[in-house]
Amino acid sequence: NLIDIYAKFCVIVHGGKAKEKGYVCYEMLQETLHTEPIKGILPETTVAEALEFMDDLKISHLPLVTKDGLYAGLLSEDALYESEDDTQPAKSTLRQGFFPHVREGVHFFEVMEVCTQHRITLVPVVNTAGRYINSFLLSDILEFFRATPTLLQTGAILVVSIAAEQYSLVEIAHAVEHNDAKLLGLWMTHKSVETSLQLTLKLNLEHTAPIIKSLQRYGYEIEGIFGDESYDADYRERYDHLMNYLKYS
């Protein structure tokens, strides 16, 4: 089943036959999901020992694991420092019901969701039996996205906005591809007005003027242009003209 799911992605990205590309892509995805062999600490470990372990690893969270290897919750550095007695068991600082984790084999989007939702720097990986396996660090998550073509390939970035009910990925793709460009990535965020969306587009080229005109025809407002040297040069030229006008007027 997993092969069929990722085969769709592979056809879009690689342009090959689904069954030929699906397995390869799934294997590549699994290889990129790097986890850290961080051992969980036992419930009877003291607060002082847990803090020392965190300091050695330069992390702010640690998984609590029973002698049987079961995941028992996530300790935080802040909670440990708030303890009045550092000889007490670390489990005494555990926030009740705080068990953020992911299952084995999940996509990194799920790891990122758990990480940002709970504002943690480490995401434990747990199997279906509840046993602790290993952990994803925040640096692992950032490295995964840094290594994607969306961020590695050069190209301009556009920030646009539109009313939520008017948003259409088809229109955006048409505006980009009609001008002989490719959309490498799209991030969507709500603006302060909940009925409006802000979209960040990563393109595969740096000359964005034709794309901007197309987007504006669809009703998109341009809020930011980054990495387009033609716009930078145009603004610089206009600024110089203004300064010369003010100087001699």
Side-chain angles (χ1 to χ4, degrees), residues 2 4 10 17 19 23 33 47 69 88 102 113 120 127 131 149 164 197 215 239:
L2 288 173
D4 292 335
C10 295
K17 293 181 180 178
K19 294 202 176 206
Y23 179 75
L33 301 184
V47 169
Q88 289 294 312
V102 294
E113 181 182 358
I120 53 180
N127 66 15
R131 293 185 177 277
L197 294 176
L215 288 169
Y239 175 80

Side-chain angles (χ1 to χ4, degrees), residues 23 34 38 41 69-70 87 92 100 102 117 125 187 200 216 233 242:
Y23 179 75
H34 174 67
I38 294 176
I41 62 172
L70 299 176
T87 63
S92 64
V102 294
Q117 178 184 353
V125 180
W187 294 266
T200 300
Q216 289 174 327
L242 175 62

Side-chain angles (χ1 to χ4, degrees), residues 7 11 27 50 85 89 94 97 105 114 148 150 169 171 184:
V11 170
E27 288 300 309
D85 184 356
L94 186 65
V114 172
T148 62
T150 302
L169 182 57
E171 290 180 351
L184 298 179

Side-chain angles (χ1 to χ4, degrees), residues 30-63:
Q30 291 304 305
E31 288 178 6
T32 59
L33 301 184
H34 174 67
T35 55
E36 299 291 339
I38 294 176
K39 294 181 179 180
I41 62 172
L42 296 172
E44 59 266 25
T45 303
T46 67
V47 169
E49 290 170 335
L51 285 171
E52 184 178 359
F53 193 32
M54 285 185 179
D55 185 61
D56 289 342
L57 296 175
K58 308 302 179 189
I59 55 178
S60 300
H61 296 87
L62 270 179

Side-chain angles (χ1 to χ4, degrees), residues 99-216:
F99 298 96
H101 66 279
V102 294
R103 297 294 187 187
E104 291 180 286
V106 300
H107 192 278
F108 242 42
F109 282 0
E110 294 184 46
V111 181
M112 183 174 65
E113 181 182 358
V114 172
C115 185
T116 54
Q117 178 184 353
H118 297 285
R119 297 182 180 275
I120 53 180
T121 56
L122 176 151
V123 181
V125 180
V126 180
N127 66 15
T128 55
R131 293 185 177 277
Y132 172 73
I133 306 300
N134 44 33
S135 292
F136 290 109
L137 293 180
L138 179 58
S139 57
D140 297 327
I141 300 170
L142 295 176
E143 178 62 23
F144 173 79
F145 288 101
R146 185 200 67 80
T148 62
T150 302
L151 299 182
L152 285 179
Q153 187 167 333
T154 58
I157 296 172
L158 300 179
V159 180
V160 303
S161 63
I162 196 167
E165 67 273 10
Q166 292 181 267
Y167 164 70
S168 169
L169 182 57
V170 172
E171 290 180 351
I172 293 175
H174 183 266
V176 173
E177 296 185 1
H178 182 70
N179 292 286
D180 299 321
K182 296 295 182 183
L183 184 62
L184 298 179
L186 184 151
W187 294 266
M188 180 188 299
T189 55
H190 277 285
K191 298 185 67 177
S192 54
V193 181
E194 291 188 2
T195 56
S196 182
L197 294 176
Q198 186 179 74
L199 308 166
T200 300
L201 315 178
K202 174 65 182 290
L203 309 173
N204 70 327
L205 44 70
E206 297 177 352
H207 182 56
T208 61
I211 298 171
I212 288 173
K213 290 179 181 178
S214 296
L215 288 169
Q216 289 174 327

